[in-house]
Structures are given as structure tokens and as C-alpha cells.
Amino acid sequence: MFNQKKNNISRRDFIKLALTAGVSATGVANILAGCTPKPTATPAAVATEEMMKKALSVEGKLTMKLRAAFMPQGNEILKVIIQDWGAKNNIPVEVDIVSMNDLQTIAATAAETGAGPDIVEINQGSAHLFAEKLADVSDVCNDLGGRYGGWYSAAEEACKVNGKWLSVPRFFAPHAISYRTDLFEQVGATKAPATWEELYQVGKALQDAGLPPIAFPLGHAVGDGNDFCYSVLWSHGASDVAKDGKTVTIDSAETRAALEYIKKLATVMPPDTLSYDDASNNRAFLAGAISATNNASTIWGAARNQGTKIKIGDEDKNLHDLTDHFVYPAGPAGRVTYAEFMSSAVFSYSKNVEAAKALLTYLNEREQITPWANPNLGFVFPPLKGLKDDILMPWNTTPKLASFKDYADTSHLPGYPSSNFRGGTDAYAKWVVVDMFASVAGGSATIDEAIATAAALLAESYKG
């Protein structure tokens, strides 16, 4: 059995070397998965295994559009896993890995025209928006959930519409606060801030010391901006809609407290956070311009992969050695976080639905998940509960990724705390919450004005 410590080679390098040497992705997965217990062979699992044994066929080829991860090695391994499945089943598979923003356009076009890829990876609660155009994948989801301990609540929020699974949960891109340990220590922050107020205090101390500031995206950053603003809103006990899914609740004392906080936090952040997109905070951190931001593991991972150096006095030091993560701070309502979530949708126009479902079952099994998730260095978090404690998951072996482990336990989709995720996804797509926060932080609106604007927009999103 492969032993990382004994052979002094990382699992990521082992996977890359094995694939380069010609070992199939399934072969790599079998070696790695040998370290973990196999799931219980439930009746659903047996039934799925029998289904997979049946000869599959497609018209033409099976086509899919998937989200590009920020770790290039993860994308390459995913391609190999998919092509290996295609070769075993004698099915040609065309897979394109594209940006998350491009995927939304692709999915919307497919839903509108009734033509396009068989499988499209969609974000957040898009299954609710495209519900009438998607194939029922309940058999796949019930099987996988039965074998791997069930799905996290955010997975059900994103993919389950009126009791049916209309997309297959694929992964969370878990977030934490990336920060420079050396700079925090210079202002006496030897422990991670536990609350939002403590985070502000550290930001103020950094500002007073003339050190690189903290900086959180308040622009149209699909992942980072939404993640930050919704998490601040919810953890202050506020929400944009009531549990009934119809009553807009943004005009509340709790929302005002969240906006007062962001107004204060903005005084210790650089002004350009108002225009940050998803790449802006990564670039600023890697350049040494900021000391902390919310992000997936991609800042640390990029610094490690690229060997990024930072000047400390007369020395050049590895930035990844000076970078660590802590969980999102708690607010008055505790820790409630936004789920940056992806799922795999099979459009009902597809003539290859059964083959698509078979491939999605295969991709989400432990033997394929582990060699894909591991080299993504924490960017990929499986939404099946039984995989969180798998010894091959990077947060279980890499201390600097440990903060990502419990992200899914506190995460929700726009529309929370209701079950109206169609309305929540519509509001999310219109940037209602992010723009509300940004207008207050930037001084273009008072708190009352920002809330009034948001309330009018939310009434449209939740009216259906």
C-alpha cells in the first residue's frame, strides 16, 4: 500500500507521477482508496452497480461543460478520470472545462434553445431556475446519498426541486479567511479572530501600524463577494426573506446592524474593494498588498504551486509559509455561511440521459472523488457527508487547510432560511445583497436608502 511518509512523496505528486507513467485514473484511485473503508453495499448501491454493468450507448458523443478549478492539476486529473470512464464503456466523451461565469451563459442558452451539452455544471440554485428543462436525477442522488452518509443541507437546497433531484450535487468551493500570520502577529493577533468585531479590531490595528490592510470583496465577485456579504448578513441574524419564502425581511434591526458593521469595516479596507472581482483579492494578496481576505484555498495553493516569494527585511520568504486560514467569524447569530456550490445538470433535451447519469454516478464515488479532490488542495469539497472524514481529503492531512473541513455544516444557499431557492437565486443573480452592502460601504447610499432599494428588488424576486 502506498505510504506517503515512508516514501517521502506527497499524494498530489504521487497522482501526477502515476498518471504521467500511464497508470489509469481508476488505477490511481484504487491505490489511494485502499487506505479507506469501502461504503456499505446497500440495496440501492447494488442496483446501481447492476445498472452500470448494462451496455451504455450514446447518439454521437456525450458532451459536458464543467467548471474550471483554480488548481490546474485538478482539472487535468478530472479530464483523465472522465476519459478513462469513456474508454471503459466505449463511449466518446467531449469535456470542456470553462470558467464559472461562462457556464451560466451556457446553461441559460441551453435552457432557452433546448440544445447544447448533455451535462452542464451549474452554480448555486440554478436548478430551480431551469427546473422545467432538466432531467430527473433522483435515482443517482438517492443511490449516492444512501451509500455515502447523505447530502449536506445546502446540496438539497441547491438541487432538490419539489421533491425531485434535478441536478447532481458536485462540490462546494469552501471559504475561509486567508491571512498573513506574520503581519497579524506584528499587531498582537496571535489567535484567529473569533467574531466579526474582533476581525475589525485587527484590521484597525494593521491600519494604525501602517501594515497591509484587510480587504474583502464588495464588487460583483460571483464567489467571493456573495460569500462575504451573505455570510455577514446571516451571521448578524438578518435575512432577505422569511421562512414562508414570500415575505421580504431585509428591513430589520439585524440588517441595520450588519450594514453598520460593514460601514465600519470599510474604514480599514482599501477603497478598491468596491470593484473587486473574484481574482482581485487573490492578486492583491499574492502581491503582498493586503494581509487578509475571504477566499477558497486558492491563494495559498497558488503561492505554494508557483513558489511565490515575499520580501521580509532582506530575505525572500515563501508566501505560502506565511499564509494560513481561519474559519469565518461568528456574529450575533453565530456562524452562518454562504455556500459556493456547483452541481451537474442533465438537460432533458439530451438523447444520452442514461449515459450521463451513469457517468455522474461514477464521478461522485469515492474512488474517483479522492484523486480529484486531493490535488485541488481544498478547493473541492464533496457534498456527501460520508466523505468529509476520509483520510485522503486534504483538510485531514494538511494543517493549513483544516479550517475548511466544517464549512459545509454551516452553509446555505440564497433563499435561506426559506425553501424558495428559485427566488433566492434570482436575487443572487441580480446582486441585490452585495450591492446593498457596497452602497453603504462606499457611501453612495445611507443605510435606509440601501435597505429600501434592496427591499424593492427582493419583492420582485420573491413574488412568485
Side-chain angles (χ1 to χ4, degrees):
M1 182 181 297
F2 167 64
N3 184 303
Q4 178 187 337
K5 291 184 178 179
K6 181 178 178 180
N7 291 284
N8 194 31
I9 181 174
S10 73
R11 291 180 308 282
R12 176 171 64 87
D13 290 338
F14 167 75
I15 293 168
K16 291 171 70 177
L17 287 171
L19 291 173
T20 301
V23 179
S24 71
T26 301
V28 174
N30 288 338
I31 294 171
L32 294 174
C35 300
T36 63
K38 299 294 183 185
T40 303
T42 63
V46 173
T48 299
E49 184 176 352
E50 290 302 314
M51 179 189 75
M52 293 288 286
K53 288 179 181 178
K54 295 178 182 177
L56 295 169
S57 62
V58 298
E59 286 195 18
K61 57 188 173 183
L62 188 62
T63 56
M64 57 198 312
K65 301 280 188 180
L66 306 180
R67 178 181 174 180
F70 287 93
M71 303 299 173
Q73 65 271 23
N75 295 329
E76 293 308 308
I77 288 171
L78 179 58
K79 289 179 184 178
V80 172
I81 292 171
I82 292 169
Q83 294 302 335
D84 192 51
W85 176 89
K88 286 195 306 181
N89 290 279
N90 197 30
I91 291 177
V93 183
E94 180 181 281
V95 54
D96 291 326
I97 296 182
V98 301
S99 74
M100 179 168 60
N101 291 345
D102 288 341
L103 281 173
Q104 285 303 97
T105 301
I106 291 167
T109 301
E112 179 68 24
T113 64
D118 298 298
I119 300 170
V120 181
E121 212 152 64
I122 57 177
N123 71 346
Q124 303 312 108
S126 294
H128 295 265
L129 297 182
F130 306 139
E132 295 79 11
K133 307 299 178 67
L134 302 179
D136 187 343
V137 290
S138 296
D139 52 348
V140 174
C141 296
N142 291 334
D143 162 45
L144 290 167
R147 284 193 278 158
Y148 294 104
W151 301 96
Y152 286 103
S153 59
E156 296 205 21
E157 292 172 5
C159 304
K160 210 168 187 179
V161 183
N162 297 325
K164 292 181 179 180
W165 291 92
L166 295 185
S167 60
V168 179
R170 186 60 175 145
F171 70 94
F172 293 90
H175 278 233
I177 307 299
S178 302
Y179 76 109
R180 284 276 300 278
T181 55
D182 59 320
L183 298 178
F184 272 46
E185 287 169 2
Q186 285 187 50
V187 296
T190 56
K191 293 183 180 179
T195 66
W196 290 112
E197 179 58 29
E198 288 178 14
L199 179 61
Y200 163 75
Q201 294 297 336
V202 173
K204 183 68 166 62
L206 288 164
Q207 182 186 65
D208 291 345
L211 294 172
I214 61 176
F216 299 96
L218 294 173
H220 286 187
V222 177
D224 300 344
N226 280 295
D227 206 295
F228 179 70
C229 293
Y230 275 96
S231 297
V232 171
L233 183 76
W234 290 334
S235 64
H236 277 79
S239 62
D240 60 354
V241 69
K243 288 184 178 180
D244 64 12
K246 298 177 182 178
T247 306
V248 173
T249 56
I250 200 69
D251 190 350
S252 68
E254 291 80 7
T255 298
R256 283 179 165 75
L259 292 173
E260 288 286 2
Y261 175 75
I262 208 69
K263 184 177 180 180
K264 180 170 68 172
L265 191 69
T267 65
V268 298
M269 296 200 303
D272 63 347
T273 55
L274 294 170
S275 60
Y276 269 14
D277 61 19
D278 282 300
S280 301
N281 53 339
N282 294 55
R283 288 194 298 265
F285 195 104
L286 291 170
I290 62 175
S291 62
T293 190
N294 65 300
N295 211 255
S297 61
T298 50
I299 290 175
W300 177 84
R304 175 181 166 179
N305 286 350
Q306 298 166 12
T308 305
K309 304 290 185 181
I310 200 82
K311 181 74 74 175
I312 304 293
D314 295 328
E315 294 184 73
D316 286 328
K317 295 195 174 183
N318 291 322
L319 179 59
H320 75 268
D321 289 333
L322 303 173
T323 301
D324 208 341
H325 307 92
F326 59 88
V327 297
Y328 268 42
R335 182 175 293 108
V336 190
T337 51
Y338 168 95
E340 184 179 334
F341 195 80
M342 303 301 300
S343 63
S344 305
V346 181
F347 280 83
S348 54
Y349 59 67
S350 171
K351 297 185 180 347
N352 301 318
V353 171
E354 292 308 312
K357 287 162 67 173
L359 174 54
L360 292 177
T361 298
Y362 176 84
L363 288 179
N364 288 286
E365 292 173 322
R366 175 182 274 118
E367 290 80 5
Q368 286 66 248
I369 283 282
T370 50
W372 174 55
N374 186 279
N376 272 295
L377 301 178
F379 178 77
V380 166
F381 190 104
L384 287 158
K385 292 180 179 179
L387 297 177
K388 181 175 79 169
D389 292 323
D390 193 300
I391 61 172
L392 297 177
M393 293 301 164
W395 41 86
N396 292 324
T397 56
T398 305
K400 289 195 174 186
L401 299 177
S403 295
F404 295 98
K405 181 172 183 175
D406 295 323
Y407 166 90
D409 295 330
T410 61
S411 293
H412 296 282
L413 270 289
Y416 170 82
S418 78
S419 59
N420 186 356
F421 299 107
R422 184 184 185 99
T425 302
D426 184 77
Y428 145 85
K430 292 175 180 175
W431 299 98
V432 177
V433 170
V434 172
D435 286 348
M436 178 182 70
F437 274 87
S439 65
V440 170
S444 62
T446 65
I447 288 176
D448 284 342
E449 290 168 344
I451 288 175
T453 298
L457 293 169
L458 291 168
E460 288 297 312
S461 293
Y462 288 110
K463 69 179 180 181

